């Protein structure tokens, strides 16, 4: 008889096999230490999570308020989203990217991109299927595959001096993964502009990515959460590549573009089979977002878009404020070309301690919370990520405090 029979009843979440197989959540330790310091009355500048601090523009909130009290909206909504919202998304893609989408079969509303990605993987993967994920990565890109019983094949995500992905190296790694992995990988998950690295893709890279995926028989999933957050021009949609819809879907999010993170509205658009698979699994799992939120989201997509460029400009100015202070303190950090993050290579003398210890050091010595690069996968080690979720003055102060802390040495 085995002496290692599992305890019953289970004592922790990790005893349930699917959760036990998840990698450690490295942000939790920093979070716990932050809470202790805040509770002790310390002035902590929290730049850890990418949780936008700027409220949703008033015209969108007003639209929600105008519909919130109407009883007819208090019933369950449609899990795939109301027609008006799916149609507003299709119009947005036509106007912005010149991409035609059928709002019935090529658009599904999700409860944010994160929920959508997780359930798409659950819908399309079989146990043991492999998904290729460039690393460092936004954690759900890997966790969604693990939850679905799949395997993650990480490939390195590397950038050039201009803040663009080294596309050919990445696609060579994709081809190599396909040649060396059995059963053959089923999907490639990309995301540009990228969190946490802030790297961008360009149309030529997307064309090549579609070509390689088609040749290697890979489904292509593109997380486009930072669609509106490039400081050098409009980032391309993967669906602009001719024929991309035959193999690709894209996730668009209202969270960052319209400052609606707490409202939980996103979309999966493109390939009919994948959109239909996600629509189907969601029909078993949820009843749709509160209808007035969907009406307000459609209004956001259809009304003035200046609020989007204003948000982008705010993040650009914030990045400049933080980078200016960090550089002045002697920490040379490259300015981001996109997103709402600064991805900072750790200063030489601190590299040895690793990103988790360095993040703890910054919290202890500067009262500044950052995300350790290791939290985005092993390839993120050697970096920390600052989320630009405070005003310019506060970010300048954060940079100055960090500078003073660095003077003390490791
Ligand atoms: C790359 C990426 N995808 C998705 C999300 C989450 O988007 P949503 O709020 O629509 O779930 C984030 C949030 O930080 C993100 O960085």
């Amino acid at each position: 008889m085995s002496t290692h029979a599992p305890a019953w009843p289970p004592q922790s979440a990790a005893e349930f096999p699917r959760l036990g197989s998840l990698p450690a959540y490295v942000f939790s330790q920093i979070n716990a230490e932050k809470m202790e310091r805040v509770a002790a009355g310390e002035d902590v500048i929290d730049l850890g999570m990418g949780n936008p601090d700027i409220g949703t523009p008033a015209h969108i909130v007003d639209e929600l308020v105008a519909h919130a009290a109407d009883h007819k909206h208090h019933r369950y909504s449609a899990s795939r989203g109301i027609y008006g919202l799916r149609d507003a998304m299709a119009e947005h893609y036509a106007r912005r990217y010149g991409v035609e989408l059928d709002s019935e079969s090529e658009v599904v509303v999700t409860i944010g991109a994160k929920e959508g990605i997780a359930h798409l993987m659950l819908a399309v993967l079989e146990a043991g299927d492999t998904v290729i994920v460039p690393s460092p990565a936004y954690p759900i890109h890997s966790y969604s595959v693990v939850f679905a019983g799949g395997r993650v094949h990480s490939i390195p995500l590397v950038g050039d001096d201009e803040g663009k992905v080294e596309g050919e190296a990445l696609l060579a790694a994709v081809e190599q993964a396909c040649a060396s992995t059995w059963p053959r990988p089923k999907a490639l998950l990309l995301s540009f502009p990228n969190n946490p690295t802030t790297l961008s893709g360009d149309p030529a890279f997307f064309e090549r990515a579609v070509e390689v995926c088609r040749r290697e028989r890979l489904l292509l999933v593109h997380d486009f959460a930072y669609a509106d957050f490039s400081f050098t021009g409009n980032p391309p949609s993967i669906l602009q590549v001719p024929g991309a819809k035959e193999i690709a879907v894209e996730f668009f999010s209202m969270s960052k573009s319209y400052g609606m993170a707490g409202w939980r509205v996103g979309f999966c658009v493109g390939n009919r089979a994948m959109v239909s698979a996600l629509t189907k699994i969601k029909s078993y799992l949820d009843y749709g977002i509160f209808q007035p939120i969907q009406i307000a989201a459609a209004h956001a997509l259809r009304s003035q878009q200046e609020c989007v460029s204003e948000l982008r400009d705010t993040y650009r100015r914030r990045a400049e404020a933080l980078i200016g202070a960090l550089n002045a303190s002697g920490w040379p950090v490259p300015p981001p070309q996109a997103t709402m993050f600064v991805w900072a290579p750790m200063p030489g003398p601190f590299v040895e301690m690793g990103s988790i210890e360095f993040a703890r050091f910054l919290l202890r010595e500067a009262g500044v919370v950052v995300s350790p690069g290791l939290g985005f996968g092993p390839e993120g080690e050697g970096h920390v990520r600052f989320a630009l979720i405070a005003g310019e003055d506060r970010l300048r102060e954060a940079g100055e405090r960090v500078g003073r802390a660095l003077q003390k040495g490791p």
Side-chain angles (χ1 to χ4, degrees):
M1 203 173 75
S2 165
T3 51
H4 296 292
W8 196 92
Q11 303 296 309
S12 75
E15 287 173 46
F16 298 102
R18 187 155 292 155
L19 299 185
S21 64
L22 282 172
Y25 190 64
V26 305
F27 303 118
S28 49
Q29 188 180 4
I30 312 284
N31 272 340
E33 289 184 25
K34 174 193 86 178
M35 296 312 287
E36 274 171 31
R37 286 173 184 272
V38 171
E42 271 184 44
D43 174 26
V44 173
I45 306 179
D46 186 353
L47 308 178
M49 191 182 170
N51 193 358
D53 61 311
I54 306 167
T56 307
H59 67 284
I60 304 172
V61 178
D62 290 346
E63 187 72 5
L64 167 68
V65 171
H67 295 278
D70 190 336
H71 287 191
K72 77 168 184 275
H73 297 314
H74 295 173
R75 313 179 71 193
Y76 293 127
S77 186
S79 82
R80 66 179 184 143
I82 57 173
Y83 178 78
L85 180 54
R86 284 182 280 116
D87 204 41
M89 180 79 308
E91 275 174 21
H92 182 79
Y93 263 75
R95 206 171 38 237
R96 179 77 183 267
Y97 305 110
V99 169
E100 294 299 324
L101 292 171
D102 173 27
S103 22
E104 280 302 326
S105 59
E106 294 175 334
V107 181
V108 57
V109 178
T110 62
I111 307 173
K114 191 176 182 188
E115 179 270 332
I117 293 167
H119 282 143
L120 177 71
M121 291 303 172
L122 199 58
V124 305
L125 297 183
E126 276 176 74
D129 276 346
T130 299
V131 177
I132 304 172
V133 182
S135 174
Y138 176 58
I140 199 68
H141 293 171
S142 311
Y143 296 168
S144 59
V145 176
V146 175
F147 276 138
R151 286 189 302 216
V152 175
H153 183 109
S154 289
I155 56 172
L157 173 59
V158 179
D160 63 17
D161 294 341
E162 289 168 19
K164 288 206 181 125
V165 55
E166 288 279 8
E168 283 310 312
L170 186 134
L171 294 174
V174 170
E175 286 172 331
Q176 173 62 28
C178 291
S180 63
T181 312
W182 187 260
R184 290 175 67 83
K186 190 162 194 170
L188 169 66
L189 205 162
L190 297 178
S191 184
F192 296 102
N194 184 265
N195 171 19
T197 64
T198 78
L199 296 173
S200 299
D202 61 18
F205 165 67
F206 278 179
E207 264 176 45
R208 284 275 297 126
V210 169
E211 184 189 316
V212 168
C213 286
R214 204 187 274 286
R215 196 171 54 237
E216 301 291 350
R217 300 173 73 90
L218 292 169
L219 298 173
L220 179 48
V221 178
H222 184 232
D223 179 353
F224 204 23
Y226 298 96
D228 293 298
F229 284 81
S230 165
F231 310 135
T232 58
N234 279 339
S237 156
I238 199 99
L239 299 181
Q240 286 174 294
V241 178
K245 268 200 276 186
E246 287 162 32
I247 58 159
V249 285
E250 185 157 83
F251 283 89
F252 181 86
S253 169
M254 300 298 286
S255 296
K256 307 294 159 74
S257 297
Y258 297 89
M260 293 173 69
W263 299 49
R264 311 309 302 130
V265 188
F267 302 84
C268 176
V269 301
N271 178 265
R272 282 178 191 217
M274 282 192 275
V275 166
S276 156
L278 179 54
T279 306
K280 182 158 188 178
I281 203 164
K282 281 177 64 60
S283 74
Y284 288 87
L285 296 172
D286 73 70
Y287 285 120
I289 302 159
F290 183 47
Q291 208 144 277
I293 290 182
Q294 298 190 55
I295 294 169
H299 181 65
L301 289 166
R302 286 192 164 124
S303 52
Q304 56 96 343
Q305 299 297 298
E306 283 78 26
C307 61
V308 179
S309 40
E310 279 164 21
L311 268 179
R312 177 178 47 239
D313 289 345
T314 301
Y315 285 118
R316 187 182 41 73
R317 283 195 304 272
R318 288 178 170 192
E320 284 165 9
L322 179 64
I323 294 279
L326 292 175
N327 288 351
S329 78
W331 183 3
V333 173
Q337 307 295 324
T339 74
M340 52 180 287
F341 303 107
V342 166
W343 181 240
M346 286 162 54
F350 293 84
V351 168
E352 211 173 298
M353 68 167 63
S355 60
I356 295 183
E357 278 313 307
F358 184 56
R360 295 179 71 201
F361 169 87
L362 292 181
L363 174 56
R364 199 173 56 241
E365 302 295 335
V368 174
V369 179
V370 298
S371 293
L374 188 62
F376 304 96
E379 291 79 2
E381 187 50 287
H383 285 73
V384 291
R385 190 197 72 177
F386 293 84
L388 299 167
I389 52 163
E392 286 167 59
D393 287 346
R394 196 76 171 138
L395 286 165
R396 237 174 254 118
E397 186 188 337
E400 286 159 10
R401 286 201 210 169
V402 165
R404 285 194 294 275
L406 297 183
Q407 300 300 318
K408 297 181 188 167

